[in-house]
Amino acid sequence: MELIQKTPDLSAYLAADEVIDHDHPRVREVAGGLARQAEDSYAYARLAFEFVRDTIPHSQDSGDPRVTWRASDVLEQRTGICYAKAHALAALLRAEDIPTALCYQRFDVVHGLVAVRLDGAWHRQDPRGNKPGVNARFSLGREQLAFTPDHAAGEEDYPELYAAPHPAVLDVLKAATDRPHLWETLPAAL
């Protein structure tokens, strides 16, 4: 699949905003700690991915009712669904000047992930969190995402790369009173 950069200016994929708040002290602290362990951008991107995937539980898996959507809140509260974890990873990567986009897949509901720009190309990564049956890995080669759409069943990969969260995603995150409420309002398509 050819990924489509929605915003032509690559600097948009480095920007901080209300959601991907990589200028926040908590994001800077985590990014700095990871950067001290990395010898280059590739190593940093892999460490940031593994940090979000492995140390921030997916709230559905852990049973956490809290809904986070801002990257700094995800890192502070250590919880989030796929969208929130993607926001946190995007902030950590952008904090170290690695262009990062938000992207999506559609299953029963829309699933969120990121694309990182390294070696002159975009590479999708899924920091959702592993569990039995889910084995996402950081890769610049063959994608190793949490889920693979069944196109015959109407599932799909959306090729668009967004500099900011899709409004349908952000609206439901902001409006949710708790995770059970969020689960009732997740977008079925973009």
Side-chain angles (χ1 to χ4, degrees):
M1 173 181 68
E2 182 178 340
L3 298 174
I4 301 167
Q5 192 174 309
K6 291 287 287 179
T7 306
D9 185 357
L10 194 59
S11 68
Y13 298 92
L14 292 167
D17 60 26
E18 174 189 29
V19 179
I20 303 170
D21 57 343
H22 64 74
D23 51 356
H24 188 278
R26 180 66 182 140
V27 177
R28 300 302 310 170
E29 176 188 3
V30 173
L34 294 169
R36 284 189 290 281
Q37 301 172 50
E39 64 274 4
D40 58 23
S41 294
Y42 173 83
Y44 176 83
R46 183 184 48 75
L47 286 170
F49 169 83
E50 290 170 354
F51 177 85
V52 173
R53 182 195 64 192
D54 298 343
T55 71
I56 300 171
H58 189 286
S59 58
Q60 175 70 17
D61 296 347
S62 67
D64 193 324
R66 296 174 294 170
V67 175
T68 54
W69 52 269
R70 184 177 289 117
S72 57
D73 292 338
V74 175
L75 296 173
E76 187 70 37
Q77 296 179 37
R78 297 287 188 141
T79 191
I81 67 165
C82 60
Y83 311 132
K85 292 182 68 159
H87 300 164
L89 179 56
L92 290 173
L93 293 169
R94 289 181 184 186
E96 291 296 314
D97 294 321
I98 299 172
T100 307
L102 300 169
C103 47
Y104 304 93
Q105 297 174 304
R106 184 172 58 80
F107 299 97
D108 291 338
V109 295
V110 174
H111 175 63
L113 46 152
V114 304
V116 57
R117 187 159 180 89
L118 288 169
D119 296 338
W122 290 103
H123 308 275
R124 293 190 308 166
Q125 312 296 325
D126 192 340
R128 182 230 179 268
N130 289 339
K131 63 180 188 172
V134 175
N135 188 23
R137 298 279 181 235
F138 184 82
S139 175
L140 299 186
R142 187 180 144 274
E143 285 185 340
Q144 296 183 21
L145 305 177
F147 308 109
T148 302
D150 178 352
H151 299 288
E155 298 173 347
E156 66 181 300
D157 284 308
Y158 291 114
E160 295 85 6
L161 301 176
Y162 296 91
H166 191 285
V169 167
L170 190 55
D171 289 348
V172 297
L173 285 169
K174 285 182 166 183
T177 55
D178 59 19
R179 190 182 35 78
H181 175 248
L182 175 63
W183 241 238
E184 295 172 5
T185 60
L186 289 173
L190 296 181

